[in-house]
Amino acid sequence: MGRFIQIVEVGPRDGLQNEKAVLTPAVRADFVRRLEAAGARRIEAVSFVHPKYVPQMAGAEEVMAALPPAEGGSRIGLVLNGKGYDRALGTAVDEVNVAMSATDGFGLKNQGLNVDQQVQMLADIIAGRRNAEGAPGAAPKLTATLSCVWGCPFDGEVSVEQVSELVIRIAALGVEEIALADTIGVGDPWSVTKKVEAARKAAPDATLRLHFHDTRNTGLANAYAGVEAGVDILDASVGGIGGCPFAPGATGNIASEDLVYMLERAGFSTGYDLDQMIETAHWIGDQIDKPRLSALSRAGEWPPAASQTSA
């Protein structure tokens, strides 16, 4: 097999948070299990946010309690602040992803914090982790996602310099994996290359992850640019569901099955079972009353599975 590209499945969190349908914790736990059966090894399973603001994410503790241990996998909980982080610690999440923003405008809308306050929030969380070293139970892995890297619905364009400065500050706190997110789907492949190169220069020891939305039909092209720039970890959402309730116009993510198809046709390895991914896309589409959202769930893979078997 060729180079391995890890696809972090974000459907149960970023995928569902912007949908009108509010699924029960039991259904959301079933969603996670189906994705793991299809090959997902890192899944953004829950978000520890106030249900008043994101009712689709209510009952994160119940979702995690309904799941058996992740054998050889990792379940991620997203947090916006220290309170969310403390909630996450009370569950069996394997990773905590701290959401941040490249701009004051989105940070204030999403978390009530400007950029400097978000960096301080992250620093406080990390300081608490260090103070707790030696306590029973290992703290979950911590990562950070930087939203609005390619554009902000409130502040407009985001420069390479803005991104570089923030990546430097985040890496200096000891965060080993930093995700760059195109929250409103305004990026293009050439700007992806520029900002990936700038982020790598700003934090040469950090692992980079990329998160693209397909709002303007550039998601897969941007993923291609990221892979060509040397990034090995991409976020995607089965069925292409999702968006951000705090970012006007932020619609669906890259569809996981479309991304898997593109990469594996090119000779990359992802570890996913494409037939099961399509089946899961159909299932979640039925749950939220949006059937067959992704290109692959409509057209099917190529060559067809039956032809592959007979060959």
Side-chain angles (χ1 to χ4, degrees):
M1 297 298 291
R3 173 179 154 202
F4 181 74
I5 305 296
Q6 182 183 80
I7 298 176
V8 179
E9 174 58 54
V10 301
R13 198 283 301 177
D14 198 30
L16 293 179
Q17 70 171 5
N18 206 37
E19 297 296 330
K20 291 182 180 179
V22 178
L23 305 184
T24 66
V27 172
R28 286 154 53 202
D30 187 19
F31 189 18
V32 172
R33 287 192 291 266
R34 288 170 182 265
L35 289 164
E36 289 175 339
R41 290 297 170 261
R42 286 181 76 190
I43 299 179
E44 202 171 60
V46 291
S47 177
F48 296 94
V49 296
H50 199 294
K52 173 183 175 182
Y53 301 108
V54 191
Q56 296 88 340
M57 292 294 101
E61 289 85 354
E62 296 173 61
V63 174
M64 292 306 305
L67 291 169
E71 300 294 338
S74 183
R75 293 160 184 157
I76 306 168
L78 181 103
V79 306
L80 299 181
N81 50 41
K83 288 184 179 179
Y85 179 76
D86 290 340
R87 282 181 62 195
L89 292 185
T91 72
V93 294
D94 303 291
E95 300 180 43
V96 175
N97 183 31
V98 181
M100 304 177 67
S101 173
T103 66
D104 288 335
F106 185 72
L108 290 168
K109 287 285 186 179
N110 194 45
Q111 297 155 271
L113 302 173
N114 63 29
V115 169
D116 288 340
Q117 290 168 331
Q118 290 175 76
V119 173
Q120 185 58 55
M121 174 267 294
L122 178 62
D124 291 343
I125 288 174
I126 292 172
R129 287 166 62 89
R130 290 171 179 160
N131 291 340
E133 286 181 359
K141 175 183 175 180
L142 186 139
T143 63
T145 290
L146 191 56
S147 301
C148 295
V149 165
W150 280 271
C152 173
F154 309 105
D155 294 356
E157 296 287 355
V158 177
S159 70
V160 172
E161 291 73 24
Q162 279 177 271
V163 175
S164 295
E165 179 187 346
L166 266 174
V167 168
I168 288 171
R169 296 172 73 182
I170 293 169
L173 294 172
V175 178
E176 296 179 0
E177 181 180 289
I178 303 169
L180 307 179
D182 186 10
T183 308
I184 57 173
V186 294
D188 62 81
W190 298 273
S191 63
V192 168
T193 300
K194 289 177 183 177
K195 286 182 176 173
V196 166
E197 290 174 349
R200 183 173 288 117
K201 184 177 180 181
D205 297 326
T207 297
L208 294 182
R209 188 169 99 229
L210 298 176
H211 178 112
F212 295 116
H213 284 229
D214 203 30
T215 312
R216 292 166 177 82
N217 206 32
T218 58
L220 286 177
N222 292 339
Y224 163 81
V227 170
E228 288 293 289
V231 175
D232 293 322
I233 311 175
L234 301 170
D235 289 356
S237 174
V238 69
I241 61 174
C244 178
F246 304 106
T251 52
N253 295 269
I254 298 173
S256 305
E257 60 274 23
D258 292 354
L259 181 60
V260 168
Y261 173 79
M262 180 182 78
L263 291 171
E264 296 204 342
R265 280 282 289 179
F268 295 95
S269 173
T270 68
Y272 280 84
D273 182 312
L274 197 49
D275 288 334
Q276 283 193 272
M277 287 299 293
I278 294 172
E279 181 181 330
T280 303
H282 291 167
W283 177 84
I284 193 60
D286 290 340
Q287 301 302 309
I288 63 174
D289 197 25
K290 288 186 176 181
R292 300 180 184 269
L293 284 171
S294 69
L296 210 70
S297 67
R298 295 189 298 271
E301 61 179 307
W302 180 265
S307 297
Q308 293 174 351
T309 302
S310 62

